[in-house]
Amino acid sequence: MNLSERKWCGWGLKQGPDLLKDKRDSFWNWLRELSGFTELPHTLPVDINSISLNEPTLPSTLISELETKISQGKVTSEPIERIIHARGKSYLDTLALRSGNLPDVPDIVIYPKTKEEVIGVIRWALFNDVAIIPFGGGTSVVGGVNPIKGQNHIGIATLDLREMNRIINIDTKSRIACTESGIEGPHLEKLLQKEGFTLGHYPQSFEFSTLGGWVSARGAGHQSIRYGKAEDWFVGAEIISPPGPWKTEAFPASAGGPQIKDLIPGSEGTLGIMTDIEFRIHPLPQEKYYNAYIFPSFEAGVEASRQLMQTNIPLAMIRLSDAQETFFYTAMQMGGGDPSSLPQFCLMLIGLEGDSPCITAGRQIIEGMFANYQAISLGEGIADQWFKQRFLLPYLRDEMLDYGLGVDTLETATRWSKLLDLHETIHKAIRETIENDPDQKPQFPIVMAHISHAYLDGASLYFTFVFPRSPKDPFQQWHRIKNSASDVIRYHKATISHHHGIGTDHKPWLAGEKSALAYELLRQIKYQIDPKNILNPGKLF
């Protein structure tokens, strides 16, 4: 973890990749035309040294008291630390950082190195009414790490867990590993693969996100069909809460009443700080096979995806782009294209991982099944190219923001029988809201989607939308789009979030997703375990 190499107001490393290469000029000119700009504006972020922060509200005596409890880690109130921990990576977060308008920042940032130090921090915060914001990789895209304090809190401390990154145990017989929660994806996989195993969890944020963050948000990796979402591979954890340290159950299976461990994935740090996490691991696959196919329509691709998920082959991934996304990524490679004559064909990337005989049998089943849908194989080259670039696309968002463009994503999940209708209505809601913007009217709004996680009974839908950013009020512009799409999601009784979590952005719709009684039960659990609401206040509830 070298924070000096990472962008303070954008995604990833300061020296990011060049995705556009020789198509750069033609691509930006194409986006300018679609967005209705005569000339692309230059909307660069402010200089970090020009940002004026409010002074910390925590008394120096309390900070000094805390420092006595952190003998191995560190406590800092340096401005740059407060700024980079002030927001995550959502669209709104990035706008706030780039503008330098940060009314709410943590007073201090704490880097604990041991479980005992976390216990000391929580006891200190509880006694002194200080809000604690758990922070892993800071890659939340729903406001999950934003510093919020309740009316009775005297200050805010962000608890950055990335120094707690040690592996504790690998039980090869049981195929369960245990590591500290702050370990980042590349470090975790390096340690596991050295022993011949993998977690297999590769979200787009993999290079910078942490194990604890994946569990907290109920995250999903690209190969979740084979390796599961966070709640599937999560076994148990040691947790520090205001009443004290505790452990979840960690049995292979149990009929000992409702399992408390099921409350932890998705809790977003509101119930406690995970220090040690146990999770299921898998032997490294003997073989991997990834291929790309073109389907004549999104409907045909959806039906083939459903049939594949209900067939017993070693699937690791199905990624089906709709016609709009297929067109956009083709145009990005070519430097442009005419959206008025949008073709209806759709790109599917499919992956198998496992033993070689199973891979061979799976490929035969896929080839026979896809022939019924008039799907055309494009070979392994395109899939290999996607595989190599799968973590890099977020870098393009920062460049779009530099040129006056907004870009964001949202995701949901529903059953197969409802998926096509939901896809169409969300797409329409986003497109019409962008088209009817009072400040910026694009020539052609870019709204696209893909299926990236699939199940026996349904799948996720992941939308990306690009729009000319409002110079007057980009925050309200985003809220109009987000509210329109989210209202459609709730109307269709789909989930408000498949793997991004709730944070602040989805909180208005969470109660409607639960029954009134279920939501109140969750609130009561939160109150019992954290009566002063010091743990990540303002999230979920």
Side-chain angles (χ1 to χ4, degrees):
M1 180 188 70
N2 189 343
L3 296 182
S4 65
E5 297 177 355
R6 301 185 186 183
K7 293 180 184 176
W8 67 273
C9 64
W11 183 263
L13 301 174
K14 293 176 181 177
Q15 301 299 321
D18 182 4
L19 291 174
L20 300 174
K21 298 183 174 62
D22 61 332
K23 302 297 189 298
R24 173 169 296 279
D25 290 343
S26 57
F27 176 77
W28 288 117
N29 188 55
W30 176 68
L31 276 187
R32 177 192 60 76
E33 293 175 353
L34 294 187
S35 301
F37 285 125
T38 304
E39 184 176 345
L40 282 174
H42 288 275
T43 52
L44 299 177
V46 300
D47 185 333
I48 189 171
N49 296 310
S50 70
I51 299 176
S52 178
L53 300 179
N54 295 327
E55 288 297 316
T57 60
L58 285 175
S60 58
T61 53
L62 284 186
I63 297 176
S64 297
E65 178 190 332
L66 174 65
E67 288 174 335
T68 65
K69 304 176 185 299
I70 308 294
S71 58
Q72 297 184 51
K74 73 172 183 176
V75 179
T76 177
S77 58
E78 292 180 13
I80 190 170
E81 290 277 2
R82 298 174 68 203
I83 289 170
I84 63 178
H85 287 88
R87 297 291 186 273
K89 301 300 182 187
S90 76
Y91 178 70
L92 293 186
D93 293 342
T94 307
L95 284 184
L97 288 166
R98 290 169 66 94
S99 70
N101 182 19
L102 297 170
D104 301 312
V105 298
D107 298 299
I108 58 174
V109 179
I110 309 165
Y111 289 90
K113 275 198 170 182
T114 67
K115 190 184 311 180
E116 290 70 30
E117 289 184 342
V118 175
I119 293 172
V121 169
I122 298 303
R123 286 175 177 168
W124 169 85
L126 180 64
F127 185 79
N128 295 295
D129 295 316
V130 178
I132 295 291
I133 313 301
F135 198 99
T139 58
S140 169
V141 292
V142 293
V145 297
N146 293 6
I148 298 172
K149 67 179 179 181
Q151 58 184 2
N152 297 320
H153 299 148
I154 66 169
I156 305 172
T158 290
L159 191 67
D160 190 316
L161 296 159
R162 283 177 286 190
E163 292 293 330
M164 297 183 64
N165 55 24
R166 293 172 286 272
I167 196 158
I168 297 168
N169 180 52
I170 298 178
D171 182 345
T172 57
K173 287 187 176 181
S174 305
R175 294 186 181 176
I176 290 175
C178 182
T179 71
E180 292 179 314
S181 62
I183 192 167
E184 291 184 331
H187 186 201
L188 174 62
E189 275 297 324
K190 181 180 179 180
L191 293 174
L192 292 177
Q193 291 186 21
K194 184 179 178 182
E195 303 297 326
F197 289 89
T198 180
L199 172 58
H201 187 81
Y202 291 97
Q204 195 168 57
S205 63
F206 170 77
E207 295 172 301
F208 307 107
S209 52
T210 65
L211 176 66
W214 300 340
V215 175
S216 292
R218 294 176 78 94
H222 291 136
Q223 286 76 32
S224 66
I225 293 175
R226 179 161 180 80
Y227 300 106
K229 286 181 83 252
E231 63 267 30
D232 300 316
W233 48 253
F234 174 76
V235 173
E238 292 191 37
I239 300 164
I240 313 301
S241 300
W246 57 289
K247 293 183 179 181
T248 68
E249 315 94 337
F251 306 112
S254 172
Q259 298 294 288
I260 300 302
K261 70 176 183 180
D262 295 334
L263 291 171
I264 300 305
S267 61
E268 301 187 17
T270 60
L271 300 179
I273 307 298
M274 289 180 287
T275 55
D276 302 346
I277 297 175
E278 287 189 308
F279 51 93
R280 295 181 177 88
I281 55 176
H282 306 263
L284 288 168
Q286 189 179 74
E287 184 178 343
K288 295 182 180 182
Y289 167 75
Y290 283 78
N291 202 351
Y293 289 85
I294 283 292
F295 279 79
S297 68
F298 188 61
E299 183 177 5
V302 168
E303 185 58 23
S305 299
R306 180 195 66 78
Q307 192 173 351
L308 270 181
M309 286 304 302
Q310 296 171 356
T311 303
N312 188 24
I313 61 174
L315 280 168
M317 185 187 80
I318 297 173
R319 187 181 181 93
L320 174 68
S321 296
D322 65 8
Q324 291 82 3
E325 186 170 280
T326 302
F327 168 77
F328 179 81
Y329 286 122
T330 302
M332 190 172 76
Q333 298 292 329
M334 302 298 292
D338 182 7
S340 63
S341 57
L342 184 72
Q344 290 306 302
F345 61 79
C346 297
L347 175 68
M348 178 188 286
L349 301 175
I350 190 162
L352 304 176
E353 296 189 12
D355 296 336
S356 296
C358 295
I359 299 291
T360 300
R363 292 178 60 172
Q364 293 173 347
I365 290 172
I366 289 171
E367 290 166 7
M369 182 186 299
F370 282 13
N372 297 329
Y373 293 96
Q374 289 77 53
I376 300 172
S377 173
L378 300 180
E380 300 176 45
I382 291 177
D384 184 60
Q385 182 184 18
W386 173 86
F387 212 88
K388 291 176 180 176
Q389 296 183 348
R390 66 195 190 279
F391 304 137
L392 304 183
L393 280 174
Y395 284 97
L396 195 58
R397 181 181 74 167
D398 294 342
E399 287 200 67
M400 289 184 176
L401 288 168
D402 288 345
Y403 290 119
L405 298 170
V407 56
D408 201 13
T409 62
L410 60 86
E411 38 80 57
T412 182
T414 193
R415 293 181 179 177
W416 292 115
S417 57
K418 301 177 180 179
L419 193 138
L420 287 170
D421 186 37
L422 182 64
H423 169 262
E424 181 179 345
T425 51
I426 294 176
H427 187 281
K428 180 180 179 183
I430 297 174
R431 186 184 70 249
E432 290 182 349
T433 307
I434 293 174
E435 288 176 336
N436 294 325
D437 189 277
D439 299 326
Q440 293 284 6
K441 297 187 182 299
Q443 293 287 86
F444 191 91
I446 299 172
V447 184
M448 49 191 172
H450 64 256
I451 289 174
S452 53
H453 308 280
Y455 309 90
L456 287 175
D457 54 347
S460 68
L461 281 169
Y462 192 105
F463 285 83
T464 302
F465 43 99
V466 182
F467 51 95
R469 196 163 75 247
S470 167
K472 296 180 180 178
D473 196 341
F475 292 89
Q476 281 303 314
Q477 179 189 37
W478 177 88
H479 278 292
R480 285 192 292 269
I481 300 170
K482 182 71 171 180
N483 292 349
S484 176
S486 298
D487 288 345
V488 167
I489 289 171
R490 289 309 311 133
Y491 177 79
H492 283 263
K493 295 183 171 57
T495 183
I496 198 63
S497 177
H498 171 263
H499 62 270
H500 281 169
I502 299 300
T504 56
D505 292 358
H506 292 145
K507 190 169 62 172
W509 293 273
L510 182 61
E513 183 166 314
K514 312 291 183 186
S515 68
L517 176 60
Y519 190 67
E520 184 57 29
L521 282 172
L522 291 175
R523 286 171 56 89
Q524 289 299 320
I525 291 170
K526 165 69 172 173
Y527 177 76
Q528 288 296 319
I529 206 165
D530 183 22
K532 288 190 172 183
N533 193 28
I534 65 168
L535 295 172
N536 215 10
K539 318 306 184 325
L540 289 182
F541 309 107

